Amino acid sequence: QVQLVESGGGLVQPGGSLRLSCAASGSIFSIPAMGWYRQAPGKQRELVATITSDASTNYADSVKGRFTISRESSKNMYLQMNSLQPEDTAAYYCYARVTRRIGGALYDFWGQGTQDTVSS
């Protein structure tokens, strides 16, 4: 199996910063893509940012210029969130698209989520 463990969420005031981490472990050959999604109460889960194994990134318009996604050692991913606003309040989920062997099928996995609250 594959496990994704997030950390770094919490409570921050508007204008503040948080850094989320996601660590992947388990039966993994490669991780072509990883990303962050978020879900606010009463809303659908939405894309925040993604990053591929060659470091290509993609961001939601709402976070461009404020959030930065990065990867380290292929199995660790981070999301630096600056200039946080109350509308960024949500549960943030780590996502990974994984292969378990050379030429193998792609599988999607999700972390358990970490709550970020932006409030004064």
Side-chain angles (χ1 to χ4, degrees):
Q1 261 295 5
V2 173
Q3 296 81 39
L4 300 177
V5 178
E6 301 115 329
S7 61
L11 174 64
V12 66
Q13 292 186 339
S17 298
L18 284 173
R19 186 174 189 249
L20 303 183
S21 300
C22 175
S25 63
S27 178
I28 298 171
F29 174 73
S30 70
I31 308 179
M34 298 184 79
W36 293 95
Y37 286 70
R38 67 186 181 186
Q39 187 167 17
K43 294 187 177 181
Q44 290 188 328
R45 189 173 295 190
E46 63 176 5
L47 172 93
V48 176
T50 60
I51 185 167
T52 64
S53 55
D54 62 357
S56 295
T57 59
N58 179 53
Y59 294 92
D61 288 343
S62 59
V63 307
K64 282 180 181 177
R66 300 188 298 124
F67 292 10
T68 302
I69 190 171
S70 61
R71 284 178 71 168
E72 177 186 272
S73 69
S74 80
K75 292 184 180 180
N76 294 287
M77 177 180 62
Y78 307 95
L79 186 68
Q80 179 65 42
M81 303 186 293
N82 299 327
S83 302
L84 284 161
Q85 299 301 318
E87 53 266 33
D88 295 315
T89 295
Y92 284 72
Y93 295 89
C94 170
Y95 156 82
R97 177 156 288 179
V98 171
T99 62
R100 297 184 177 180
R101 58 180 176 84
I102 297 175
L106 295 168
Y107 297 92
D108 294 338
F109 293 92
W110 294 88
Q112 78 285 358
T114 181
Q115 179 66 40
D116 294 338
T117 301
V118 184
S119 175
S120 55

